[in-house]
């Protein structure tokens, strides 16, 4: 059985890809009433870094890049798609909804595209998936 420091390090690197925040580390390692393992996991799962780490795997599969792939290529404005993926992971969006929005998000938004809600803008940004390859 690993000691508490090793558990904290492994769990933090696994879930958020970074060492645990100082305040969380101190609470978990303190001798008087430390936080439980379950609370530690929940704290790491709700941190914004969780979505950033796990979204990177999806973005790699979708071939996300800020440029067209060559050093002299101009930058693209595809970052709303990246932000959509990170936000979806942090919100624990259901997989079927996540995939549907990426493949048909523009069909889920009613025209005209004036005065769109944040949800409609997010669905349109999700179709950035189709622009990756």
């Amino acid at each position: 059985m690993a000691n508490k420091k090793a558990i904290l390090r492994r769990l933090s690197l696994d879930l958020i890809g970074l060492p645990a925040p100082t305040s969380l580390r101190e609470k978990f390692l303190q001798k008087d009433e430390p936080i439980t393992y379950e609370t530690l996991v929940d704290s790491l799962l709700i941190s914004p870094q969780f979505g950033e780490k796990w979204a990177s795997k999806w973005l790699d599969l979708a071939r996300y890049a800020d440029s067209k792939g060559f050093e002299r290529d101009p930058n693209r404005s595809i970052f709303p798609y990246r932000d959509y993926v990170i936000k979806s992971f942090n919100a624990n969006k259901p997989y079927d909804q996540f995939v549907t929005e990426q493949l048909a998000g523009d069909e889920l938004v009613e025209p005209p595209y004036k005065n769109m809600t944040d949800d409609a803008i997010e669905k349109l940004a999700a179709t950035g998936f189709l622009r990756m390859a």
Side-chain angles (χ1 to χ4, degrees):
M1 180 78 178
N3 64 28
K4 288 182 86 169
K5 283 185 181 181
I7 290 171
L8 176 66
R9 187 186 78 248
R10 291 174 186 170
L11 189 61
S12 180
L13 292 175
D14 239 7
L15 293 179
I16 64 172
L18 300 166
T22 305
S23 60
L24 192 58
R25 184 176 63 240
E26 288 172 356
K27 287 178 186 176
F28 185 69
L29 296 176
Q30 75 182 12
K31 302 244 189 264
D32 307 330
E33 298 182 39
I35 62 173
T36 64
Y37 178 81
E38 291 80 10
T39 304
L40 175 64
V41 170
D42 289 343
S43 299
L44 292 170
L45 288 175
I46 63 170
S47 73
Q49 290 81 19
F50 172 78
E52 292 171 6
K53 179 182 190 294
W54 289 97
S56 70
K57 297 184 184 316
W58 182 268
L59 292 169
D60 286 347
L61 292 171
R63 301 180 66 138
Y64 173 83
D66 288 323
S67 77
K68 293 182 181 174
F70 189 65
E71 77 249 7
R72 286 181 260 155
D73 287 342
N75 288 337
R76 316 189 280 180
S77 296
I78 199 70
F79 66 89
Y81 173 70
R82 178 201 61 212
D83 295 345
Y84 160 79
V85 174
I86 292 169
K87 185 177 176 184
S88 296
F89 273 81
N90 278 331
N92 198 22
K93 186 174 283 191
Y95 181 73
D96 61 335
Q97 180 183 350
F98 180 65
V99 171
T100 300
E101 288 175 355
Q102 290 179 79
L103 296 177
D106 55 336
E107 294 294 323
L108 301 174
V109 178
E110 291 292 325
Y113 298 125
K114 297 176 184 173
N115 303 322
M116 288 194 304
T117 64
D118 289 341
D119 184 53
I121 293 169
E122 183 177 293
K123 285 182 174 122
L124 290 177
T127 59
F129 173 79
L130 301 171
R131 300 286 298 162
M132 290 300 113

